[in-house]
C-alpha cells in the first residue's frame, strides 16, 4: 500500500449560512485510478471537488497534491497545477464555435503556446477522438448553442481534456449522455488512467461505477463515510452505500418525515396499469416542426409512454412542441378528443399540460429567485383559471409537502434556488408540478442527477399522477429508467417514430436493439424518401460500458 496518496484532502469544512456543506471531509486518491465520489443529493460531493479545483474556498482543511500543499486563490491556480474539471453547471458560450469554446481560457504558458492557432491544433484531435459521440461528425466549426444537451456535455469534457489534466474532475458528466456517448467517454477515461491521470467521477448510476471505477468514496452529510475498492464489495452493498437509509440523514431535521423510502431505492413503484380500453387522453396526429416530421401517437389516461432511441432524434423537440415552447408547423393535437394548440407554455399549462425540461438551468428554474417562488411558477396559470388565489401559507405548505415527499434538501424556502445542490434543483423542477394536477405530464429526462432514493420516490409520484388519470410522456437518456417506468416506449429517429417496444418485449436490450438497428432503409421507409447516403448515428455504438 502506498502511504502517500497522489491526492489527499483532510478536514475540509464549508458552511453556507445555516447550511453545512462540508463537515470535516477527508479524501485520498491515487494517480492512475478512476475514483468515484458517491452519495445522496446535497451530501457535499460537488462542494468537495470544488474545493479541490479552487472554485470554493474552504473554511478549514488542507489539500495535498503530489505531496505539495495546494492553496489556490482560484481555478486558474489549480489549472496550472494540472486539475481540470467539468462541473454540473455547464459553461459553454452559445455563440462561440465549439473549437473557440475549447481553447477559451487555456493557459498559454502551460503549453508554451502564444499562438491561438496552435491551441486550436491541440484541441481538434479531442473532437476527432470523440467524433462517434457526435454521430460521426467533428463539430469544430458549429455554434455551441446549436448542439443538443448530450453533445454539449461531450464538448465540456473535451474542454477539460484540452487542458491536459493530471487530475480530471467529472461532476455527473454522464447525466445527459446516451449510451453511445458514454461508451466513447469511458474508452478515453480508461486511456487516461493508463497514462497515470487521476479521474474523480461523481455519478448516481450504479452501472457506471461497476463499469469504470476502481475505488469509491461515499459522502454523507458533508463527510466521507466509507472508501471501498469497487471490485471487492457486492453490488447490493454499493447500492446501499449510495442510498440505503441515508437520504433521511441528508435532510435538515425539519424534513425528517421524508425518511420513508424504499430500501434499495433502485426500483420505482410499478406503473399503473393502462386502461387499454379507454379513449386516448392525448392524441398527436402528424405533428411537424423544425426537427419533427409527421409524429403520431396516442396516450391513454393512466399510461406512461416512453420516448427512446439515440440521443437528439427529436424526443426533446416533440415534448417542447407539445408544450407550446417550440413552433409547430403542422399536425393536430387532441386533448380528450378536442383540438388544442398552445402557442406558449403559459397556454399549455392552462390547457392542462405539465412540462419537466431536460435543461434545468435554461428552462426549468429562475435560478436567482427563492426556492418557494420557483415552486409557485407553474401553478400561476392554473390558479388564474381556478380563480383561487393561494395564500403564501398554502403555498408554503404545498412546497413543504412536495419537498418532504421527494426529499429536497434546502436551507430555507427563501434562499435562491441556485444555492441548492444540482440534484435538489432538479427535484424542484419536477416537484413543482405535482400539486397542479396536470392532465398530461411531459417529462424530458426528469431524473437527471437525482440520487437513486429520490428517483424511486419521484417516479412513484409520477405513477400516482398516472393512476389518477394523467397521461405521461417520458423522454429519457436512461434505457433502464424507460423499462422500469413505462408501459410502452416509442423509438425515435431523425424526428420520426420508427418503432414501438412494449409488453414482454420491453427490456433494455430490446431498446438498444431497436435504437441501434435502424438501417438507412428502415429510416427511409419511415419517411418515404430515397435512401440517405449517410450512415445513421447508430453506427457509433459498440458494446455497453
Ligand atoms: N453556494 C451555495 N450557497 C448555499 N448553499 C450551498 C451552496 N453550494 C452548496 N450549498 C449547499 O451545500 C450542500 C451540499 O451541496 P453539494 O452541491 O456539494 O451537494 P452534492 O452532493 O453535489 O449534491 P447533488 O448530488 O445534488 O449534486 C447542499 O445542501 C447545498 O444546498
Ligand atoms: Mg453535485
Amino acid at each position: 500500500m502506498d502511504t502517500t496518496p497522489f491526492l489527499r484532502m483532510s478536514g475540509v469544512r464549508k458552511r453556507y449560512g445555516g447550511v453545512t456543506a462540508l463537515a470535516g471531509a477527508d479524501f485520498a486518491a491515487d494517480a492512475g485510478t478512476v475514483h468515484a465520489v458517491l452519495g445522496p443529493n446535497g451530501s457535499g460531493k460537488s462542494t468537495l471537488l470544488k474545493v479541490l479545483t479552487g472554485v470554493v474556498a474552504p473554511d478549514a482543511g488542507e489539500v495535498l497534491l503530489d505531496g505539495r500543499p495546494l492553496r489556490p486563490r482560484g481555478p486558474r491556480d489549480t489549472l496550472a497545477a494540472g486539475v481540470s474539471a467539468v462541473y454540473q453547471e455547464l459553461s459553454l458560450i452559445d455563440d462561440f464555435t465549439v473549437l473557440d469554446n475549447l481553447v477559451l481560457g487555456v493557459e498559454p504558458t502551460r503549453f508554451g503556446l502564444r499562438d491561438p492557432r496552435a491551441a486550436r491544433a491541440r484541441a481538434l484531435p479531442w473532437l476527432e477522438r470523440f467524433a462517434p459521440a457526435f454521430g460521426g461528425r467533428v463539430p469544430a466549426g458549429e455554434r455551441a448553442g446549436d448542439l443538443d444537451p448530450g453533445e454539449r456535455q461531450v464538448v465540456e469534457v473535451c474542454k477539460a481534456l484540452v487542458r491536459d489534466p493530471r487530475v480530471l474532475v467529472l461532476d455527473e458528466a454522464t447525466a445527459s449522455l446516451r449510451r453511445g456517448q458514454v461508451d466513447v467517454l469511458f474508452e478515453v477515461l480508461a486511456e487516461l488512467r493508463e497514462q497515470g491521470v487521476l479521474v474523480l467521477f461523481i455519478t448516481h448510476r450504479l452501472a457506471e461505477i461497476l463499469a469504470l471505477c476502481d475505488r469509491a468514496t461515499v459522502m454523507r452529510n458533508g463527510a466521507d463515510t466509507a472508501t471501498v475498492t469497487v471490485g471487492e464489495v457486492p453490488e447490493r452493498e454499493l447500492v446501499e452505500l449510495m442510498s440505503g437509509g441515508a437520504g433521511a440523514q441528508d435532510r435538515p431535521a425539519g424534513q425528517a418525515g421524508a425518511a420513508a423510502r424504499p430500501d434499495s431505492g433502485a426500483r420505482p413503484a410499478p406503473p399503473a396499469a393502462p386502461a387499454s380500453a379507454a379513449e386516448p387522453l392525448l392524441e398527436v396526429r402528424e405533428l411537424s416542426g423544425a426537427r419533427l416530421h409527421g409524429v403520431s401517437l396516442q396516450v391513454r389516461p393512466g399510461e406512461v409512454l416512453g420516448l427512446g432511441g439515440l440521443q437528439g432524434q427529436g424526443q426533446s423537440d416533440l415534448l417542447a412542441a407539445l408544450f407550446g415552447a417550440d413552433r409547430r408547423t403542422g399536425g393536430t393535437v387532441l386533448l380528450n378528443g378536442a383540438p388544442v394548440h398552445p402557442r406558449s407554455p403559459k397556454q399549455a399549462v392552462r390547457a392542462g399540460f405539465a412540462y419537466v425540461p431536460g435543461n434545468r438551468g435554461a428552462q426549468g428554474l429562475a435560478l436567482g429567485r427563492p426556492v418557494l417562488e420557483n415552486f409557485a411558477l407553474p401553478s400561476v396559470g392554473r390558479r388564474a383559471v381556478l380563480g383561487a388565489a393561494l395564500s403564501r401559507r398554502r403555498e408554503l405548505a404545498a412546497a413543504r409537502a412536495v419537498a418532504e415527499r421527494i426529499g429536497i434538501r434546502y436551507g430555507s424556502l427563501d434562499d435562491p434556488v441556485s444555492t441548492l445542490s444540482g440534484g435538489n434543483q432538479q427535484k424542484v423542477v419536477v416537484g413543482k408540478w405535482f400539486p397542479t394536477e396536470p392532465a398530461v405530464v411531459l417529462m424530458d429526462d426528469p431524473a437527471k442527477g437525482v440520487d437513486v432514493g429520490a428517483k424511486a420516490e419521484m417516479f412513484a409520484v409520477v405513477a400516482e399522477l398516472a393512476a389518477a388519470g394523467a397521461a405521461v410522456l417520458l423522454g429519457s437518456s436512461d434505457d433502464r429508467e424507460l423499462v422500469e417506468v413505462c408501459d410502452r416506449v416509442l423509438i425515435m429517429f431523425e424526428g420520426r417514430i420508427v418503432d414501438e417496444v412494449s409488453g414482454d418485449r420491453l427490456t433494455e436490450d430490446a431498446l438498444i436493439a431497436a435504437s441501434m438497428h435502424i438501417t438507412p432503409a428502415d429510416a427511409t421507409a419511415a419517411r418515404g424518401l430515397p435512401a440517405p447516403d449517410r450512415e445513421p448515428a447508430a453506427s457509433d455504438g459498440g458494446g455497453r460500458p
Side-chain angles (χ1 to χ4, degrees):
M1 270 280 144
D2 193 347
T3 47
T4 51
F6 181 59
L7 169 68
R8 181 190 288 286
M9 303 176 73
S10 40
V12 185
R13 296 179 176 278
K14 181 70 186 179
R15 276 182 79 88
Y16 292 101
V19 178
T20 300
L22 291 174
D26 297 327
F27 183 81
D30 293 318
T33 63
V34 181
H35 197 120
V37 182
L38 313 177
N41 295 134
S43 55
K45 305 179 296 293
S46 295
T47 309
L48 182 72
L49 296 187
K50 279 179 180 168
V51 167
L52 170 65
T53 60
V55 170
V56 165
D59 301 333
E62 196 185 32
V63 182
L64 287 174
L65 184 64
D66 215 0
R68 277 186 291 276
L70 191 66
R71 293 197 195 86
R73 283 152 300 165
R76 279 204 164 257
D77 290 351
T78 54
L79 213 52
V83 182
S84 187
V86 175
Y87 300 106
Q88 257 171 312
E89 310 82 22
L90 300 186
S91 72
L92 300 185
I93 297 173
D94 280 356
D95 286 328
F96 281 26
T97 65
V98 168
L99 198 55
D100 283 342
N101 266 292
L102 290 189
V103 298
L104 197 73
V106 174
E107 195 66 40
T109 50
R110 182 165 159 74
F111 310 124
L113 301 173
R114 308 237 162 250
D115 180 4
R117 286 223 317 261
R120 290 205 178 89
R122 183 179 186 90
L124 198 57
W126 281 117
L127 287 178
E128 287 164 356
R129 178 69 183 85
F130 277 92
F134 297 108
R137 44 189 233 286
V138 178
E142 294 178 31
R143 215 179 134 262
D146 292 339
L147 304 183
D148 71 41
E151 292 174 343
R152 292 167 66 87
Q153 184 70 61
V154 175
V155 175
E156 296 276 358
V157 173
C158 290
K159 192 174 159 186
L161 289 170
V162 170
R163 280 140 180 85
D164 198 19
R166 291 194 294 163
V167 182
L168 176 66
V169 174
L170 298 177
D171 194 347
E172 295 187 39
T174 54
S176 49
L177 299 190
R178 284 185 174 259
R179 195 177 301 275
Q181 294 172 318
V182 173
D183 289 346
V184 188
L185 175 62
F186 280 20
E187 279 170 27
V188 171
L189 295 181
E191 289 162 20
L192 292 173
R193 164 168 51 197
E194 286 302 306
Q195 294 158 20
V197 174
L198 166 60
V199 180
L200 300 177
F201 191 79
I202 301 183
T203 184
H204 293 291
R205 293 181 178 176
L206 177 69
E208 296 181 348
I209 304 163
L210 297 174
L212 179 73
C213 301
D214 306 299
R215 305 264 291 161
T217 293
V218 184
M219 300 285 295
R220 203 69 93 227
N221 290 321
D224 56 301
T225 55
T227 295
V228 298
T229 300
V230 173
E232 289 173 4
V233 290
E235 209 173 301
R236 225 193 52 246
E237 203 178 314
L238 263 180
V239 174
E240 230 153 75
L241 282 170
M242 286 167 74
S243 61
Q249 294 144 40
D250 274 290
R251 239 159 275 137
Q255 296 175 46
R261 66 171 45 164
D263 242 350
S264 82
R267 218 189 151 81
S276 50
E279 289 297 308
L281 176 57
L282 174 72
E283 184 172 0
V284 178
R285 291 184 191 154
E286 293 293 318
L287 187 69
S288 295
R291 295 173 65 187
L292 292 174
H293 311 287
V295 171
S296 298
L297 59 86
Q298 300 185 341
V299 199
R300 287 170 218 293
E303 191 178 28
V304 182
L305 179 62
L307 296 175
L310 298 168
Q311 89 280 355
Q313 300 301 317
Q315 298 93 337
S316 299
D317 308 75
L318 173 58
L319 294 164
L322 290 173
F323 195 58
D326 274 9
R327 218 167 64 82
R328 278 154 58 170
T329 55
T332 316
V333 177
L334 303 169
L335 190 60
N336 267 323
V340 284
H341 194 157
R343 286 187 171 77
S344 68
K346 203 164 163 182
Q347 288 181 12
V349 171
R350 289 199 182 168
F353 288 86
Y355 173 63
V356 177
N359 182 347
R360 62 173 187 264
Q363 310 156 24
L365 294 170
L367 280 170
R369 308 298 306 167
V371 177
L372 182 65
E373 197 175 300
N374 273 280
F375 263 109
L377 289 175
S379 47
V380 171
R382 298 284 278 171
R383 217 162 44 190
V385 174
L386 300 171
L390 285 182
S391 68
R392 180 179 155 88
R393 262 195 28 205
R394 283 177 56 196
E395 239 166 37
L396 274 172
R400 287 219 178 91
V402 173
E404 193 169 298
R405 176 80 199 266
I406 54 176
I408 301 178
R409 190 187 172 180
Y410 57 86
S412 152
L413 286 172
D414 291 323
D415 290 344
V417 79
S418 60
T419 65
L420 266 52
S421 76
N424 281 304
Q425 287 181 19
Q426 182 60 23
K427 288 184 207 168
V428 173
V429 175
V430 180
K432 67 185 186 177
W433 294 100
F434 293 163
T436 66
E437 291 172 19
V440 178
V441 184
L442 309 167
M443 309 185 104
D444 191 355
D445 236 350
K448 207 186 271 183
V450 170
D451 65 51
V452 284
K455 187 162 154 175
E457 199 55 45
M458 182 189 285
F459 282 121
V461 179
V462 171
E464 275 172 31
L465 288 173
V472 181
L473 202 51
L474 169 74
S476 174
S477 56
D478 187 342
D479 289 332
R480 183 178 298 196
E481 196 173 295
L482 290 173
V483 170
E484 284 175 351
V485 180
C486 299
D487 303 300
R488 284 187 295 143
V489 176
L490 303 176
I491 307 297
M492 293 193 72
F493 182 71
E494 291 188 346
R496 294 175 171 78
I497 289 163
V498 293
D499 203 352
E500 176 177 326
V501 185
S502 65
D504 292 343
R505 266 192 69 214
L506 183 49
T507 62
E508 268 186 86
D509 286 344
L511 286 180
I512 298 162
S515 307
M516 304 292 246
H517 295 156
I518 298 162
T519 63
D522 288 341
T524 305
R527 97 195 90 180
L529 288 174
D533 35 58
R534 189 163 67 79
E535 281 287 297
S539 57
D540 69 4
R544 301 180 44 185

